[in-house]
Amino acid sequence: MGAKYLSGCAAAAEAVRLADVDVIAAYPITPQTAIMEHISKFIANGELRAHMIHVESEHSAMSACIGAELVGARAFTASSSQGLALMHECLFFASGLRLPIVMAVANRSIASPVTIFADHKDSLAQRDCGWIQYYTENVQEILDMILIAYRVSENEKVLLPSMVCFDGFFLSHLSERVDVPELNCIKDFLPELRPKYPTLDIENPKVINVMAFPEFFEEFEFDKHYSMQSSKKVINESFEDFWGISGRKYGLIETYQTETAEMVLVGMGSMMGTALEAVKRLRKKGVEIGLVNIRVYNPFPFQEIVDAVKDTAIVGVMDRDISYGSGGIVFQNVLLGLYNKPNPPPVLNFIVGLGGRDVTLGTIEKIVGTMEKVRREDRVEKDIIWPDLNTELIKAWKIGD
Amino acid sequence: MWLGGKMTDEISYYLHPWIKNRPITAWLPPGYSRINKTGANRYQRPEIDDEKCTKCGICWICCPEGAIGRGKKFTIDYEYCRGCGICLEECPLKAIRMIKEV
């Protein structure tokens, strides 16, 4: 293993080099652009034998990747925000054709108002496209998750594409010490792609992507649903195997002292590093608090989260996203997991860090303060809380009653 | 049986490759519409007037289903003709006329 000082984008490019990707197609968008710059450098230096396709939009980028995977080449793309939204149509084609494409998503919020800064709204808006979604907390995890994502996606029990999401600028432009695995130990972990799905082949011609009439369509949908559900097992196995070669252990969720916690914070993305530090400090002060970091959002680890939080007195879900009128998207999924379970704890939703607003130790302390208050009073007044909202501005804008 | 939006004969349904094996993605072997008779959902039928026809072959090129046959006389395979009327539109001599079937 070699330690390198890499930014998030450079780490993603390193992972592409290690995965020996054959075709890369992408269109630049802040904060993803640097990934493609690094990959171009690898190709120019002869460190990666791949074909870089320069396309005119994200829609074409995903289409090019679909074409590449259909002839059995390993493909990679990266996007963000508006670009990901433009890709939306092709995302369904990629999952419907069961092509194991891996995409790096440098999370950036979606306009309007225009922003280039991080939140999870862009990738969570693509939740129902049939893509596996990994969320990362630091730069090392970006590299690891891309390698794991290829292995999981190419498994014949899964055959669904993957998104590796990392917060734009917070991770994409942050440089950290990263352990880059040796190419030969990745070769065993991620062997050459031998397609287990129908491919375009001159010897064995076929018509791909034909129409399915009502008597078949529902079965195709069930196939994808079942594969997504059963991919949990494959993901766990791949995490185990990766642990073996790298010494870094991952899980569908990662917990911190939830067994002895009265209160549990749930969240995902780069803010969980701050949250962990805050929780450690609060633990020193004697606050019985635990942490659940969601690593894999899709397939959602319902059972794992329920097991982690079922014995606690109160759960707080931090959402770096918002579904207008309904609250946080992760919050809704956590509620879904707790539904029909005996004596579920009350769940509060905290909307934080939208459009790149910093989630600080102070934010987490405010959140924990609110949770303690609700627990003391044993009464939930409001379940969707915006702890960092500038209330003076909201008053000046005359929003609300 | 339901296939291609129309009732077709049961034999073609049982020949459908998705009945037996999981296709993974929606794909079919080439030439599958030979089994799937595309003429089944036609409501009008073109007819060639052999006296006017000069066998220029424009209709043969333009037919999207490949249902027009070249020979001593030009013929139409009504098992596959969808009745779209492109041949009628393209024929420079107006040697094709359309007959309503319903």
Side-chain angles (χ1 to χ4, degrees):
Chain A
M1 301 232 176
K4 285 188 184 174
Y5 186 61
L6 296 174
S7 71
C9 286
E14 267 315 320
V16 170
R17 180 180 66 80
L18 291 171
D20 197 15
V21 173
D22 303 306
V23 175
I24 297 127
Y27 189 79
I29 183 167
T30 302
Q32 153 268 35
T33 316
I35 302 176
M36 289 305 135
E37 290 170 358
H38 284 105
I39 294 174
S40 298
K41 233 179 265 173
F42 284 140
I43 295 173
N45 294 343
E47 289 172 75
L48 172 65
R49 279 193 54 188
H51 192 71
M52 170 82 88
I53 304 174
H54 298 281
V55 288
E56 76 281 8
S57 74
E58 284 84 358
H59 191 280
S60 311
M62 185 44 68
S63 303
C65 286
I66 289 170
E69 288 274 358
L70 271 177
V71 293
R74 196 173 272 163
F76 176 82
T77 186
S79 198
S80 293
S81 181
Q82 317 298 130
L84 192 59
L86 182 58
M87 250 180 213
H88 181 66
E89 183 197 9
C90 300
L91 297 182
F92 281 99
F93 276 104
S95 62
L97 290 166
R98 312 302 295 267
L99 305 174
I101 301 168
V102 172
M103 167 158 58
V105 177
N107 282 118
R108 155 184 161 183
S109 196
I110 288 199
S112 166
V114 171
T115 176
I116 55 168
F117 300 107
D119 69 36
H120 299 147
K121 247 164 64 188
D122 58 347
S123 54
L124 286 180
Q126 312 300 341
R127 180 188 69 172
D128 301 336
C129 291
W131 283 58
I132 297 167
Q133 290 191 349
Y134 303 84
Y135 284 82
T136 53
E137 187 195 307
N138 55 43
V139 175
Q140 180 71 60
E141 290 176 6
I142 301 174
L143 188 145
D144 296 351
M145 283 307 135
I146 290 177
L147 294 172
I148 292 165
Y150 272 113
R151 185 179 160 107
V152 172
S153 286
E154 288 169 9
N155 188 302
E156 59 187 320
K157 284 183 197 143
V158 182
L159 288 178
L160 286 168
S162 301
M163 279 182 204
V164 176
C165 309
F166 49 95
D167 293 357
F169 294 108
F170 288 121
L171 290 183
S172 70
H173 287 61
L174 170 92
S175 291
E176 281 183 337
R177 180 189 186 277
V178 177
D179 271 335
V180 180
E182 294 295 333
L183 196 58
N184 52 7
C185 70
I186 290 300
K187 279 258 150 62
D188 299 331
F189 180 73
L190 196 61
E192 208 178 315
L193 172 61
R194 302 211 190 289
K196 315 263 183 1
Y197 50 88
T199 50
L200 293 170
D201 178 5
I202 296 168
E203 301 292 314
N204 181 17
K206 49 182 91 63
V207 190
I208 284 186
N209 198 20
V210 297
M211 193 163 173
F213 284 92
E215 69 267 37
F216 291 116
F217 194 86
E218 218 166 283
E219 283 68 24
F220 276 104
E221 296 302 276
F222 181 79
D223 189 346
K224 277 175 265 179
H225 173 68
Y226 183 79
S227 301
M228 183 60 95
Q229 276 188 332
S230 52
S231 71
K232 274 186 197 176
K233 200 168 158 250
V234 180
I235 293 170
N236 273 329
E237 283 165 9
S238 298
F239 282 154
E240 284 283 314
D241 292 347
F242 193 77
W243 182 33
I245 63 163
S246 73
R248 288 184 289 279
K249 194 166 190 205
Y250 298 113
L252 293 168
I253 60 165
E254 277 137 39
T255 56
Y256 177 75
Q257 300 204 348
T258 47
E259 302 82 12
T260 56
E262 287 290 300
M263 299 186 284
V264 169
L265 274 176
V266 183
M268 60 189 193
S270 64
M271 64 178 171
M272 297 316 281
T274 315
L276 182 63
E277 179 59 30
V279 165
K280 278 180 181 166
R281 287 183 189 195
L282 286 163
R283 274 269 171 190
K284 268 185 201 152
K285 284 186 203 163
V287 184
E288 288 179 326
I289 183 161
L291 193 70
V292 173
N293 182 6
I294 299 172
R295 158 106 28 241
V296 182
Y297 179 80
N298 215 6
F300 197 78
F302 291 110
Q303 194 54 50
E304 287 78 0
I305 289 180
V306 170
D307 289 344
V309 305
K310 62 173 189 259
D311 296 329
T312 56
I314 187 161
V315 179
V317 181
M318 296 190 290
D319 262 287
R320 204 170 201 149
D321 55 75
I322 174 76
S323 171
Y324 314 117
S326 318
I329 298 167
V330 183
F331 168 64
Q332 292 171 37
N333 268 16
V334 172
L335 286 188
L336 192 59
L338 288 169
Y339 184 74
N340 273 350
K341 298 286 181 298
N343 305 322
V347 186
L348 296 180
N349 187 200
F350 299 94
I351 310 291
V352 290
L354 297 187
R357 186 166 291 186
D358 254 339
V359 180
T360 59
L361 291 173
T363 311
I364 310 288
E365 275 161 19
K366 247 189 270 178
I367 288 171
V368 174
T370 314
M371 283 164 72
E372 276 180 326
K373 187 164 166 272
V374 169
R375 216 187 125 202
R376 226 175 17 245
E377 292 172 0
D378 203 14
R379 188 165 62 96
V380 181
E381 246 174 53
K382 259 200 317 191
D383 51 357
I384 301 163
I385 300 154
W386 300 59
D388 274 349
L389 197 68
N390 184 346
T391 43
E392 280 174 28
L393 200 57
I394 294 298
K395 223 176 264 172
W397 287 4
K398 296 193 174 67
I399 300 171
D401 310 319
Chain B
M1 290 289 161
W2 241 80
L3 193 82
K6 263 279 172 188
M7 298 286 273
T8 49
D9 50 327
E10 292 202 3
I11 296 163
S12 70
Y13 185 80
Y14 287 114
L15 283 172
H16 201 288
W18 298 349
I19 294 293
K20 278 189 180 162
N21 299 316
R22 175 188 174 219
I24 304 179
T25 70
W27 72 276
L28 287 171
Y32 189 72
S33 53
R34 281 182 199 189
I35 301 165
N36 178 19
K37 301 267 193 296
T38 48
N41 44 8
R42 185 179 65 232
Y43 71 97
Q44 55 181 9
R45 143 172 69 94
E47 267 188 14
I48 300 172
D49 185 344
D50 294 330
E51 285 183 7
K52 280 192 196 166
C53 176
T54 58
K55 300 174 193 133
C56 65
I58 290 177
C59 59
W60 174 76
I61 291 168
C62 293
C63 178
E65 287 297 329
I68 294 175
R70 287 194 304 179
K72 274 190 180 169
K73 278 201 300 186
F74 271 49
T75 52
I76 295 169
D77 189 341
Y78 292 112
E79 283 199 321
Y80 298 102
C81 171
R82 284 182 188 270
C84 66
I86 289 175
C87 52
L88 182 93
E89 203 65 40
E90 297 294 334
C91 181
L93 292 157
K94 306 273 171 246
I96 302 175
R97 65 195 178 107
M98 197 58 92
I99 294 160
K100 285 263 181 298
E101 290 193 317
V102 275

